[in-house]
Amino acid sequence: MNDGIPEFDFSDLVARTNYGKNDDAEELHIVETKDEEALDDIQMGQAVVSAGENEEVVKELPEIQVSSSTLKKRDPHIVHLLKRMSLQSTILCIILPLFSLFKIVLSRPQGVTPLFMYFFGFYMIISQISLFGGYHRFFTHQSFQTHIVVQLAYAIFGGSCGLGSVLQFTSQHLAHHRHQDTERDPHSYSVYGWLFSMWGHRFFLGNRKSRRAIQECRNTFVSTSMMVHNKRLKHDGEKEVLLQPPNHEILKVQDENYVSLLLLTLIVIPCLVALYCQVPYWTSVYYLGFVRMSIIQQQWLLLGSLGHIKNLPFATQPFSNIRSAINFPVTFFWQFILFGEANHNFHHEFPSDYTAGSRWYHWDPSKWSIWILYQFGLVNHLHATNSQQVEKCALQQQQKLLDQEKSKLKWGISIEKLPIISPEQFSELARQQYANNKRALVVIEGIVHDVTPFIHNHPGGTALVQLSIGKDATQAFNGAVYSHSQAARNLLATMRIAMLSSNEQVKQTVWEKRMLQQSQDNQRRNNRQVTYTQKNHYAAGAA
């Protein structure tokens, strides 16, 4: 399914040619390359020539005479599309679901008994747990280690959902996480749109970049499982550890026999249920096989498409908005529809968490099933993200949003960027600006402010502002006349124009002078009181 289909075969484009007209010129040879993107960049006027064992040199060729028989003709567009179709996914994810949909709409169920419906519900739950808890959380993200029998059950019933073998599913989903929202993402909504993200990637093989990304993830996953397998055999010897990470042998056998597995789960098991429940074989195959498989597929495909629509109404991104993954709105509803995977933004930030970020009371059978297996000793090494790490991401995202909103507001020039002037320069500048341009310059807390736009809107009247022009009005602003609010300080900050090197020589307003005089009078009064008290104390002691 992952084999690339080259649009043009360049290997036969130029077999052998001579550079120039000199008979003694060296023969040039085209170097074969596995990089399909590099082949796309080769044009008729260029060739890749071998210049050694480990280096390639690109040289311009003046002219290349190529016969028409050397060129390989392009396939017709329809043929090219047919070659890029995935036959297995098309049958399992397009044809059978559409057939099931139309049949269930156009015809009434026949031959269905209550006992059969119990089997249908049980088979549905087991398959969903095997896909969302087994394929997704165990095999792909390795959120825990589990018993080899549980792994086998995950592989059998998870494979019955028609989304490919474990290796196919895991490599595609890992590529989605690794290259989210790029061309290498096999089903990126932001790049390819909703229709391709929902069903198109099951119909076509995808572009070369995404196929290469899937193959890289597959190779990594296989090599990792093989390394763990060999390491376990080396250290344990004859002892077999039953609780382990994804078992390499199970992965290999399931991938090689996936078609047989589908026949077992879609045909054989439903027929056995039909025999036990005494219902028609076709009814059992249709409902337990096709309908069940189609419903679970749509749950997964909805998650992969709707879960990345950033502008989905009322959707949230509480942990990160760098990428497109969202937490669904009306969580309790989507938790049921998506089988506990509605917190998709959480999952993409903490992909190895076995809980998928849902609350304990949310509908998440996969999490509950994993916890039950853990209680029975069939699961260990459960990975749950530390609550502080979750809170850190949430706070960082909130701060980021606050900073974005803050950047939209006018806060005035930063104090560090203000020009510095001396008190003498300020006094002269204030006098000239008011005389020539009626600009009102005032110093507050060592910062020069141009309060001209606000002088006539001042709640205390224009006279109070005019009396402070060219002077230091710090005390008046901070309580001598009125202790201004934070809103007033924010407004004042937008009027900064300069900073004083020193405000010692700036002329003070009448309120500053009055407060200074009161302070000096209070100091003298206190000094007299201290002296009088000391004299009485000494007189009493002498007596």
Side-chain angles (χ1 to χ4, degrees), residues 7 68 134 231 258 326 419 429 459 488 504 520 542:
E7 298 181 1
S68 59
K231 184 178 179 180
Y258 183 65
I326 61 170
L429 179 64
E504 295 179 356
Q520 293 175 351

Side-chain angles (χ1 to χ4, degrees), residues 406 410-419 421 439-453 486 488-500:
K406 183 178 178 181
K410 182 181 178 182
W411 295 90
I413 303 174
S414 175
I415 294 177
E416 292 79 9
K417 298 180 180 180
L418 291 174
I421 61 176
R439 309 295 299 180
L441 304 184
V442 179
V443 170
I444 297 177
E445 297 179 349
I447 306 297
V448 180
H449 300 84
D450 183 358
V451 297
T452 307
Q486 184 62 46
R489 295 179 181 275
N490 291 338
L491 179 61
L492 185 68
T494 63
M495 304 177 186
R496 300 169 182 157
I497 62 172
M499 181 172 59
L500 292 183

